[in-house]
Amino acid sequence: MSNSPTIRRATPDDATTLSQLATRTFVETFGHLYPAEDLQAFLADAYAVEKQRTILAHRDYAVWLLERDGEAIGHAAAGPCGLPHPDVAPGDGELKRLYLLKSQQNGGMGGKLFATALDWLLREGPRTLWIGVWSENMGAQRFYARHGFVKAGEYEFPVGRVRDREFILRRDADVAATRC
């Protein structure tokens, strides 16, 4: 029987692991949506090992790995909000990624990973939080709605020549204060 999953903060030494896991979870979740050449170009850029190392070394960002028996099975990333919305203000935070391998979903660990990221985002007190989510990912939208996030806008997320319709979700600081 396998051990219970654990969550730990990733370090720059985890850049290769994070790159591989982020690539795998993105492909499992969205790979079917894109022409192969667009997908490969996106993955090579977005999840490049050196890009992950830079993020992991940056003091304003944090990434957590969900591991079971020494294998990374999920990750979450958070930092300053970079979403294209006119109401984003300095000091706002963003949940940038939350992914688990498909085989690890629906066991409650995604919620624990989410809570870990939110605790970090709110470590200095309540603030407005943001999330970008694919417009057709109804499960994620329901999950975030249960945690007080509401649709605040839309934008296009490019994957090669494909432009995905993304929803921008926001949770105001006063909601964050009452829910955490």
Side-chain angles (χ1 to χ4, degrees), residues 48-120:
V49 172
E50 284 310 310
K51 189 174 270 189
Q52 302 315 301
R53 192 177 327 280
T54 298
I55 291 166
L56 291 167
H58 199 289
R59 67 179 189 87
D60 293 337
Y61 292 82
V63 178
W64 297 268
L65 293 174
L66 175 64
E67 297 173 319
R68 175 178 279 135
D69 297 329
E71 178 190 357
I73 59 173
H75 71 288
C81 185
L83 291 169
H85 191 282
D87 294 340
V88 170
D92 287 358
E94 178 186 350
L95 178 67
K96 296 180 175 290
R97 291 188 280 193
L98 177 63
Y99 289 100
L100 275 69
L101 295 174
K102 279 194 185 257
S103 64
Q104 305 299 316
Q105 294 176 5
N106 300 315
M109 288 309 301
K112 291 178 182 174
L113 200 52
F114 175 78
T116 299
L118 260 58
D119 285 348
W120 182 83

Side-chain angles (χ1 to χ4, degrees), residues 83 131-136 138 141 151-155 165-169:
L83 291 169
I131 299 172
V133 63
W134 183 41
S135 61
E136 296 183 39
M138 302 307 173
Q141 291 173 48
K151 184 180 173 194
E154 297 183 17
Y155 74 108
R165 183 174 168 227
E166 296 280 313
F167 291 159
I168 298 173
L169 308 180

